[in-house]
Amino acid sequence: METKYIFITGGVASSLGKGIISASLGKLLQARGYKITIQKFDPYINIDPGTLNPYEHGECYVTADGMETDLDLGHYERFTGIETSRDNSVTTGRIYLSVIERERRGDYLGKTIQVVPHITDEIKRRILLNATKQDLDFVITEIGGTIGDIESQPFLEAIRQLRWELGRNAINVHLTYVPYLAAAGELKTKPTQTSVKQLQGLGIQPEVLVLRTEHHLSDELRAKVAHFCNVDVEAVIQSQDLPSIYEVPVNMQHQGLDSICLKKMGVEVGPTPGLGPWRNFLERRKKATKVVRVGLVGKYDLQDAYKSILESLAHAGTYNDYKVKTTFINSEHITSENVEKQLEGMNGIVICPGFGTRGIEGKIIAAEYTRTHDIPTFGICLGMQMMVIEFARNVLGYKDANSAEMNPDTPHNVIDMMEEQKSITQKGGTMRLGAYECELVEGSRTWDAYGEETLIKERHRHRYEFNNRYQTEYEAHGMKCVGINPAANLVEIVEIPEKKWYIGTQFHPEYSSTVLNPHPLFMDFIKACIHGATEA
Ligand code: GLN
């Protein structure tokens, strides 16, 4: 089959959940046995979101091949279980950079470089790139931003051209919002009509409309939208708020989002897949009503900053038949005096990743409290580093122990800059990124959690590392280095075996937990939290 392209655009407002719709459609096509990929094109000028504050853009998701990307790629992977790569996340910045590099090389000698055709050609090339490297039936391309943004214009022009060139092999699914005016008691379709008109003005006629709504949309209302937007009634789909994002694929399948897309591209629809394992997950999730409480100690009090951690905890909760109730605990407000109160009622604590000094003392105090009170604790990246510093200060007796990131002059730099990082001056895309191997120490708690596997691979995003000079001392005092990167001899995991569950990982296990394959460390951590909860 020739590769088919589905473009997902959004109108009316941002944050309507284009990423979830893209991931759901990908899931549904995958369930039909097709080879798919989902990619995101973002119209901002940063090369990648790696240098963005989470308040700007939520979590930065890291692919196995080491690209810092948009958090929607996390949804794509969690829904489909298919790894994405650097080809799946493209920004305006990357497009311009490659065009400008080519211009400097002299590839366009004599020519004026323009948005059309040079930038649009580069966008088109990147949209088609994944299918030139792998055999793919469907490529779903989500365009970031909202129709009408100045920044998205070149992307829409590229899509217009591709639709013309690819004919039936390309369609556009447009996601809009239907607001409910309480005072009038009415749902309003005008914003959707306006948004579609804008798209049409750019030469793009959407084949399918997905309408986000908080209320059920009647058949008449859908017919009205269809009529005004030149779209078939059966291709006007409603996406009403649901209790969980994981219910969206089932809802979309029920309304025929995948089958209508197939029809529009001239592909035989065939039988509807049962989505068995997916439905089992949803069933189990619904049945899991007993609660286990996990506190997230971090400095960003917004959900999106720790998206993958929250999802990983939720997956692990479901497969342990518990509901994980997470509480955000701002580490900037944790002091030795109030730590007991702040962590009260938590069955387990995650010490979150992060950068810079803000809130780190609170993380260290939390790590001390959970260690001395034997509360299950999972330190991730900076969280692991804070566990290591706490141990140095309070067990090894190095009161001034710190990370070189926080104090470059600290005499006890138990966390130090990695050797290969010392000569790096540029900030963007220069950390230790992506999946690296890690050898587990047999018999350790972590090894056990991974099902006695000895060689694992996990994704990283950091510049600093455990300082091996201190390893023997740590081990002698009970904190063991149980995961080592074989190539560079870097410590990737520490644990205190005598505690119920006190493990820190330099890598980010949260990037690889999926709905159908929960991550073993999160599974084991939640198990320990539940154990504590039921004992209490
Ligand atoms: N700031 C720390 C480092 O660069 C940890 C990074 C993180 O938590 N992702 O090593």
Side-chain angles (χ1 to χ4, degrees):
M1 187 170 102
E2 278 179 311
T3 310
K4 316 263 181 239
Y5 293 84
I6 303 174
F7 299 106
I8 315 266
T9 54
V12 181
S14 56
S15 304
L16 295 181
K18 266 189 308 221
I20 304 296
I21 294 294
S22 306
S24 300
L25 181 55
K27 172 81 211 161
L28 295 177
L29 293 171
Q30 178 194 31
R32 288 176 179 272
Y34 292 115
K35 288 193 260 347
I36 65 129
T37 197
I38 316 175
Q39 54 192 22
K40 173 112 193 239
F41 279 54
D42 267 310
Y44 54 77
I45 298 174
N46 303 63
I47 299 292
D48 58 48
T51 53
L52 292 180
N53 182 318
Y55 282 114
E56 295 271 322
H57 211 258
E59 166 189 278
C60 174
Y61 185 78
V62 179
T63 59
D65 70 345
M67 182 84 193
E68 296 174 283
T69 73
D70 187 81
L71 58 75
D72 277 327
L73 272 81
H75 293 309
Y76 306 164
E77 291 204 11
R78 287 189 283 274
F79 276 59
T80 64
I82 301 172
E83 277 192 0
T84 51
S85 77
R86 56 183 55 249
D87 296 331
N88 292 61
S89 176
V90 177
T91 64
T92 292
R94 270 181 93 192
I95 303 277
Y96 270 81
L97 186 66
S98 44
V99 170
I100 291 170
E101 277 172 356
R102 254 180 256 148
E103 185 272 339
R104 291 289 83 183
R105 238 180 14 231
D107 291 8
Y108 310 104
L109 277 185
K111 288 263 173 283
T112 307
I113 315 301
Q114 294 180 298
V115 174
V116 183
H118 301 98
I119 296 299
T120 45
D121 279 354
E122 178 61 11
I123 295 173
K124 283 160 69 183
R125 189 185 72 81
R126 298 251 185 187
I127 287 173
L128 303 174
L129 189 61
N130 260 309
T132 64
K133 294 188 179 175
Q134 333 159 37
D135 178 22
L136 291 167
D137 299 315
F138 289 93
V139 175
I140 297 172
T141 307
E142 177 188 347
I143 306 293
T146 310
I147 297 305
D149 294 347
I150 292 176
E151 292 91 343
S152 33
Q153 300 264 352
F155 292 93
L156 297 167
E157 170 57 15
I159 291 174
R160 185 196 65 75
Q161 292 180 19
L162 275 177
R163 281 167 54 97
W164 179 250
E165 290 160 24
L166 294 164
R168 262 193 125 178
N169 287 338
I171 59 166
N172 174 232
V173 175
H174 189 52
L175 177 67
T176 72
Y177 180 53
V178 177
Y180 177 75
L181 291 189
E186 275 181 57
L187 286 152
K188 291 295 181 190
T189 63
K190 189 74 82 194
T192 297
Q193 295 178 41
T194 310
S195 171
V196 172
K197 288 234 158 60
Q198 269 181 298
L199 258 185
Q200 289 166 339
L202 297 165
I204 300 173
Q205 168 62 52
E207 279 76 9
V208 180
L209 292 177
V210 179
L211 309 181
R212 282 284 285 130
T213 169
E214 281 133 68
H215 298 268
H216 175 72
L217 306 180
S218 66
D219 288 350
E220 294 81 58
L221 188 137
R222 286 180 34 240
K224 179 176 160 191
V225 171
H227 180 66
F228 281 113
C229 299
N230 298 350
V231 173
D232 292 336
V233 184
E234 58 164 0
V236 180
I237 285 167
Q238 66 165 323
S239 173
Q240 206 176 334
D241 285 355
L242 291 167
S244 157
I245 53 171
Y246 298 124
E247 290 183 31
V248 177
V250 176
N251 178 30
M252 286 300 111
Q253 186 190 51
H254 182 64
Q255 294 189 69
L257 174 65
D258 56 338
S259 53
I260 189 78
C261 288
L262 292 172
K263 269 191 223 158
K264 295 282 174 197
M265 289 184 283
V267 181
E268 200 188 319
V269 175
T272 308
L275 299 178
W278 192 271
R279 284 180 199 272
N280 289 346
F281 170 82
L282 291 181
E283 218 25 59
R284 225 168 147 175
R285 189 181 171 278
K286 243 178 249 155
K287 282 199 192 129
T289 48
K290 277 180 291 180
V291 169
V292 61
R293 291 175 195 280
V294 176
L296 255 62
V297 173
K299 68 174 167 179
Y300 297 110
D301 52 358
L302 85 163
Q303 270 206 31
D304 276 359
Y306 306 113
K307 190 93 207 154
S308 295
I309 295 179
L310 291 173
E311 297 304 325
S312 304
L313 289 169
H315 303 157
T318 295
Y319 287 104
N320 276 296
D321 300 308
Y322 264 72
K323 192 175 176 54
V324 178
K325 189 159 175 5
T326 48
T327 306
F328 179 74
I329 304 165
N330 192 330
S331 58
E332 285 178 271
H333 303 151
I334 299 177
T335 63
S336 315
E337 290 72 44
N338 71 17
V339 60
E340 182 169 3
K341 186 97 198 100
Q342 292 262 4
L343 305 190
E344 195 179 298
M346 295 300 138
N347 307 120
I349 293 291
V350 175
I351 308 184
C352 293
F355 295 85
T357 50
R358 188 159 63 83
I360 63 153
E361 292 303 325
K363 286 183 175 173
I364 294 172
I365 293 166
E368 178 185 9
Y369 185 84
T370 57
R371 180 178 59 79
T372 51
H373 292 75
D374 207 359
I375 298 168
T377 309
F378 195 170
I380 301 178
C381 207
L382 183 70
M384 170 266 200
Q385 297 176 352
M386 294 305 118
M387 282 172 148
V388 167
I389 291 169
E390 186 279 315
F391 199 83
R393 289 185 187 177
N394 300 319
V395 180
L396 306 184
Y398 299 129
K399 290 290 165 216
D400 49 10
N402 213 332
S403 160
E405 178 182 4
M406 316 306 166
N407 175 9
D409 303 321
T410 176
H412 293 106
N413 50 345
V414 290
I415 302 293
D416 199 11
M417 189 179 265
M418 281 183 277
E419 210 40 54
E420 76 253 27
Q421 287 286 332
K422 291 187 176 155
S423 54
I424 293 175
T425 51
Q426 291 219 21
K427 286 268 187 281
T430 56
M431 280 186 266
R432 181 169 185 248
L433 292 165
Y436 287 91
E437 283 187 337
C438 173
E439 235 161 41
L440 301 181
V441 172
E442 272 187 40
S444 64
R445 178 79 201 232
T446 310
W447 173 77
D448 197 48
Y450 274 96
E452 309 193 350
E453 258 183 72
T454 44
L455 193 64
I456 57 159
K457 237 179 163 182
E458 294 283 3
R459 302 184 203 179
H460 297 70
R461 182 176 185 238
H462 64 117
R463 248 181 249 290
Y464 297 83
E465 57 159 331
F466 180 94
N467 185 342
N468 289 8
R469 271 201 291 129
Y470 293 91
Q471 183 171 350
T472 345
E473 225 174 319
Y474 271 92
E475 302 228 331
H477 287 81
M479 185 177 263
K480 308 284 180 192
C481 303
V482 296
I484 309 285
N485 169 258
N489 200 28
L490 295 175
V491 172
E492 307 275 27
I493 309 169
V494 295
E495 68 176 42
I496 304 182
E498 71 176 39
K499 300 289 171 194
K500 286 183 192 141
W501 211 99
Y502 200 83
I503 298 179
T505 63
Q506 186 58 79
F507 51 76
H508 293 261
E510 72 273 22
Y511 293 143
S512 48
S513 180
T514 69
V515 170
L516 299 184
N517 263 315
H519 193 283
L521 271 184
F522 280 96
M523 284 293 287
D524 203 55
F525 171 63
I526 290 297
K527 211 171 274 162
C529 297
I530 292 169
H531 192 71
T534 46
E535 253 182 3

